[in-house]
Amino acid sequence: MITKSGPLSRDDFPRSNFRPSKDATPGRPLPYGVLLGLLCAALFMPFTAEADQRERLLPLLTRMESSYARVRDYTAVFRKQERVEGKLLPEETTLLKFQKPLKVYMKWIEDPSKGTEALYVDGSNGNKLLVHRGGILGILTLSLDPGGSLALTKNRHPITEVGFGYLINELQRNVKMALQHGELELIRLAEESFRGRPAMALEAKFAPRAGRTYHASRMVCHIDTELQLPVGAVFYDEAGTVIERYSYSDVKLNVGLTPLDFSRENKAYRF
């Protein structure tokens, strides 16, 4: 007990034998080595993440490109659903025949456009798109500018952009540009079944800056494990709304399509 009268001095208080450790002293700066390690980790973490994305994505893009380079022609059931002028249109299902460099035949095999046919051969038919409507409208064959307003009435893309080649090029362009500028967020890259077949699911977001634009704000693609081709793709806008959905099934590669498969004189066609 303190009994001294008058002002107390420092010496009047009992002294403790407690000595805090160096590492636990409040307010004490971290050791230089620890601080340097944390700083380096903070600096290199973004580069490590970007390097990891490159290591995972670029080989996948290369495999798709290499696989498609071996393709001469193919047939498939092609499904598409697009948002045009703010409205998500019904899904369309077509039989697709494609031959490099750019020969396309499509026949709609389900409603609402069942029976409609389209044919485009680069360098033939005056570079026009031939269209024969199904149903009661199937009287005349229309010859259209493939990029014109009439041909694009219910389409976001012309027929010249259908097929694996255009989709692979778009994936290459968007992913590589986003990686270069640090504007890509890889959400998932995992094995996943798609229409009953093993596939790799790729989901990514794009965050453009400096006036750059991408095909979409977010995409989900499925790359067939055996074919190494993009058999499914869904694209979303900034609000998370679907703007495009495409898929390929029953894909048969290098089937030996002939000029007759892309001729309006084919008796199986109605042009």
Side-chain angles (χ1 to χ4, degrees):
M1 177 180 294
I2 299 174
T3 59
K4 179 179 178 180
S5 61
L8 299 178
S9 68
R10 181 177 180 181
D11 293 336
D12 293 318
F13 290 93
R15 297 186 180 182
S16 172
N17 292 324
F18 174 76
R19 292 291 184 270
S21 65
K22 294 181 179 179
D23 294 334
T25 302
R28 182 184 179 90
L30 289 171
Y32 177 76
V34 176
L35 182 61
L36 182 60
L38 292 174
L39 180 61
C40 289
L43 288 174
F44 286 101
M45 189 177 297
F47 297 100
T48 302
E50 181 179 339
D52 178 65
Q53 288 183 347
R54 288 181 177 274
E55 289 177 1
R56 300 176 69 189
L57 288 177
L58 294 184
L60 181 62
L61 297 177
T62 299
R63 289 196 299 272
M64 282 191 285
E65 188 177 37
S66 298
S67 180
Y68 187 65
R70 295 189 291 270
V71 174
R72 298 183 300 276
D73 59 49
Y74 59 89
T75 63
V77 174
F78 174 58
R79 295 175 176 86
K80 74 164 188 171
Q81 187 175 26
E82 299 177 332
R83 187 175 299 277
V84 179
E85 295 182 353
K87 181 180 179 181
L88 187 63
L89 301 179
E91 183 180 73
E92 300 178 16
T93 304
T94 65
L95 170 65
L96 171 66
K97 296 181 181 180
F98 189 100
Q99 187 178 64
K100 290 180 178 178
L102 187 53
K103 297 181 180 180
V104 184
Y105 169 79
M106 301 176 70
K107 182 175 182 178
W108 278 251
I109 56 178
E110 293 183 5
D111 290 331
S113 301
K114 187 175 181 179
T116 296
E117 295 175 286
L119 177 67
Y120 179 82
V121 178
D122 193 34
S124 298
N125 304 314
N127 281 331
K128 297 294 185 179
L129 166 65
L130 303 181
V131 178
H132 189 277
R133 302 289 187 185
I136 60 174
L137 297 178
I139 300 175
L140 301 174
T141 294
L142 304 177
S143 181
L144 307 175
D145 175 2
S149 58
L150 188 57
L152 294 175
T153 300
K154 295 184 178 181
N155 299 283
R156 291 178 63 90
H157 299 276
I159 196 171
T160 54
E161 294 179 358
V162 73
F164 292 125
Y166 176 79
L167 183 54
I168 291 173
N169 288 338
E170 279 296 282
L171 290 174
Q172 291 264 18
R173 181 184 70 83
N174 283 263
V175 171
K176 288 184 176 180
M177 181 168 65
L179 285 174
Q180 178 184 354
H181 297 285
E183 297 172 344
L184 183 138
E185 177 188 354
L186 179 60
I187 299 174
R188 65 185 170 117
L189 184 61
E191 295 180 357
E192 190 173 290
S193 176
F194 184 77
R195 291 192 174 273
R197 290 177 58 86
M200 183 67 71
L202 163 62
E203 182 175 1
K205 286 185 177 180
F206 300 89
R209 299 187 300 269
R212 281 179 289 275
T213 59
Y214 294 97
H215 189 88
S217 180
R218 179 167 67 94
M219 69 175 186
V220 179
C221 296
H222 285 86
I223 297 90
D224 187 278
T225 301
E226 178 187 353
L227 303 177
Q228 289 297 299
L229 293 172
V231 292
V234 186
F235 299 98
Y236 303 82
D237 63 15
E238 296 84 352
T241 303
V242 173
I243 54 176
E244 299 173 344
R245 179 184 286 116
Y246 307 106
S247 72
Y248 297 83
S249 60
D250 195 24
V251 179
K252 295 180 175 63
L253 304 179
N254 298 327
V255 295
L257 297 177
T258 68
L260 190 60
D261 288 293
F262 302 98
S263 171
R264 66 184 303 174
E265 305 303 324
N266 190 321
K267 294 183 179 180
Y269 303 161
R270 299 177 61 198
F271 295 108

